[in-house]
Structure formats: structure tokens, C-alpha cells
């Protein structure tokens, strides 16, 4: 099995209100950029992944990753990952392209990747991730709404100048809804790392009311 084509789409979703991410103080983020990637093989399998990134990720992989991936066996993940690690010095989240390789491995084996890695459960707790810095009262209101929507876990974002003020948010939420170790409604902390990157050659742009999409052409000779 060989990789014979890599396709990338950069999707730009406008947000309907101001968004001030906790990881970028003072910044209003007007949109959400996502890179969607498909890695096709000569056996007809396609690995799919995505990353919170823009054109810089696609261009970086086009120039520094795709030339090494085209023609390689996607099942040899361990031999391809060093290419991604070497490219990370450029700053773009190219490491996330590894997800597309594991997607192909799982499809070739006919098993979920989690099962290939030794996992035994086919269920995970869905959690709701917060993104903005909020006051204790606002966060309590947020968490109550999330629990009403069926979530059993919440991921908090903390970036206040004084860490003691961050702790007040946790204390307020626990007092209002309980915590994983007790309380009338269980609430457990959650953390995660997600994403994957994409590459392609050539770009065209299309627009729609819901999202602006930059689509890369497909190529067998990146």
C-alpha cells in the first residue's frame, strides 16, 4: 500500500459574536479556521483528519512533508513521524497529520484504532470545553447549562493574572453543582489534545454563507 494523493481544505467559519479566547489575551477572534485533510492510497483507503490551523499548516506540509509521504507505506507510521517532528520547527501543527495515517491503519485492519492500541471500551465520556475566561457566577451558569444538555464533564480555561482568582471559579462551580467525588450532580475535570494537519498543492477559493473554504487541488506528485 502506498500514499498516492493528499488533499487539503482550509475552512473559515465566521463566528456570530465576539470571541475572546483565553489563550490570546485581549484578542477578538472573529472566525474559526480548520484544516481538513484526506490522504488517499493506491488500495482505495482514505485517511481523514483535521486541525485548528490555517493556510500556513497546509503550505508547510506541502513543501516539507508531502514530498516525503507520497509513495510511502502509510502503515509504517513510526518511520514517517520523524518527518513531522523535524518540520515542527517551522511552527505549523503538522504533527497532526499522523492522525490520518492511523485512520488508514485502522481501516486496513477493520478495527478502531483504540482497539489496535489495546483499548477495551467502546464508550468515552463526552465533555464540553470552555474557551473564554469567565467570572465565577458566569461559569456556574455555563456549567449548569452544559449539564442540562447532557454533558458529564467540563474542561475549564484559566488565564487570570492571579491564580487565586482562577481557584474561585472552581470553588463556585463545585459549590453549585458538586464534583466528581460527590455532590448532587457529578462534574469531573477533562483535558484533551486534538487535531491533525494537512497538505496539498495549488489553491482555489470558494465562499458560502455558512463558511468560507479555501480548497487545495489534489495531486499525485506533491
Amino acid at each position: 500500500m502506498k500514499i498516492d494523493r493528499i488533499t487539503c481544505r482550509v475552512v473559515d467559519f465566521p463566528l456570530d459574536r465576539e470571541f475572546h479566547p483565553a489563550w490570546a489575551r485581549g484578542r477578538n477572534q472573529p472566525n474559526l479556521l480548520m484544516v481538513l485533510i484526506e490522504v488517499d492510497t493506491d488500495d482505495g483507503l482514505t485517511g481523514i483528519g483535521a486541525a485548528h490551523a490555517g493556510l500556513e499548516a497546509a503550505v508547510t506540509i506541502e513543501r516539507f512533508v508531502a514530498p516525503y509521504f507520497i509513495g510511502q507505506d502509510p502503515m509504517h507510521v513510526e518511520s514517517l513521524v520523524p518527518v513531522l517532528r523535524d518540520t515542527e520547527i517551522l511552527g505549523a501543527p503538522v504533527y497532526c497529520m499522523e492522525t490520518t495515517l492511523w485512520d488508514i491503519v485502522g481501516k486496513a485492519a477493520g478495527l478502531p484504532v483504540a482497539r489496535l492500541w489495546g483499548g477495551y471500551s467502546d464508550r468515552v465520556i463526552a465533555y464540553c470545553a470552555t474557551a473564554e475566561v469567565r467570572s465565577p457566577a458566569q461559569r456556574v451558569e455555563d456549567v449548569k447549562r452544559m449539564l442540562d444538555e447532557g454533558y458529564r464533564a467540563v474542561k475549564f480555561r484559566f488565564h487570570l493574572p492571579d491564580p487565586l482568582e482562577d481557584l474561585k471559579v472552581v470553588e463556585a462551580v463545585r459549590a453549585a453543582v458538586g464534583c466528581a467525588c460527590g455532590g448532587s450532580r457529578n462534574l469531573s475535570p477533562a483535558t484533551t489534545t486534538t487535531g491533525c494537519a494537512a497538505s496539498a498543492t495549488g489553491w482555489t477559493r470558494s465562499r458560502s454563507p455558512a463558511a468560507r473554504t479555501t480548497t487545495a487541488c489534489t495531486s499525485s506528485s506533491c
Side-chain angles (χ1 to χ4, degrees):
M1 184 190 306
K2 304 295 182 183
I3 296 173
D4 65 0
R5 183 170 57 180
I6 297 173
T7 305
C8 171
R9 295 176 179 84
V10 179
V11 184
D12 184 351
F13 292 97
L15 301 180
D16 58 5
R17 68 171 182 84
E18 287 193 357
F19 172 53
H20 303 278
W23 53 88
R25 292 183 186 178
R27 174 188 172 192
N28 174 37
Q29 182 176 315
N31 59 349
L32 176 64
L33 283 176
M34 293 293 296
V35 178
L36 309 180
I37 181 173
E38 295 179 343
V39 175
D40 297 320
T41 70
D42 57 2
D43 280 6
L45 296 178
T46 298
I48 299 174
H52 185 188
L55 290 175
E56 74 285 351
V59 171
T60 298
I61 295 183
E62 173 194 348
R63 295 181 179 179
F64 300 102
V65 176
Y68 295 95
F69 273 48
I70 297 296
Q72 297 297 316
D73 188 337
M75 304 287 283
H76 297 168
V77 179
E78 187 176 10
S79 68
L80 295 174
V81 166
V83 176
L84 305 180
R85 291 174 179 164
D86 290 343
T87 309
E88 284 180 12
I89 193 173
L90 300 176
V94 299
Y95 61 86
C96 297
M97 192 171 176
E98 181 181 348
T99 307
T100 65
L101 303 178
W102 284 112
D103 191 31
I104 293 172
V105 172
K107 289 174 178 175
L111 291 170
V113 174
R115 187 63 55 83
L116 293 176
W117 288 349
Y120 68 92
S121 175
D122 61 355
R123 295 289 186 271
V124 296
I125 296 177
Y127 74 90
C128 189
T130 62
E132 295 181 298
V133 174
R134 307 274 274 175
S135 70
Q138 289 173 320
R139 188 59 77 208
V140 167
E141 181 180 344
D142 293 338
V143 171
K144 286 182 176 179
R145 183 181 68 256
M146 295 168 189
L147 292 175
D148 288 339
E149 292 173 353
Y151 291 103
R152 295 172 53 198
V154 176
K155 176 181 176 179
F156 290 162
R157 291 285 185 180
F158 295 128
H159 287 276
L160 290 172
D162 185 353
L164 294 179
E165 294 300 314
D166 288 330
L167 292 178
K168 289 180 181 179
V169 176
V170 179
E171 292 170 348
V173 171
R174 285 190 169 182
V177 300
C179 65
C181 57
S184 59
R185 309 179 74 171
N186 286 341
L187 177 70
S188 58
T191 59
T192 186
T193 302
T194 61
C196 65
S199 70
T201 58
W203 301 97
T204 60
R205 181 175 291 276
S206 61
R207 295 177 182 271
S208 69
R212 298 188 297 275
T213 305
T214 301
T215 304
C217 68
T218 59
S219 173
S220 59
S221 59
C222 292

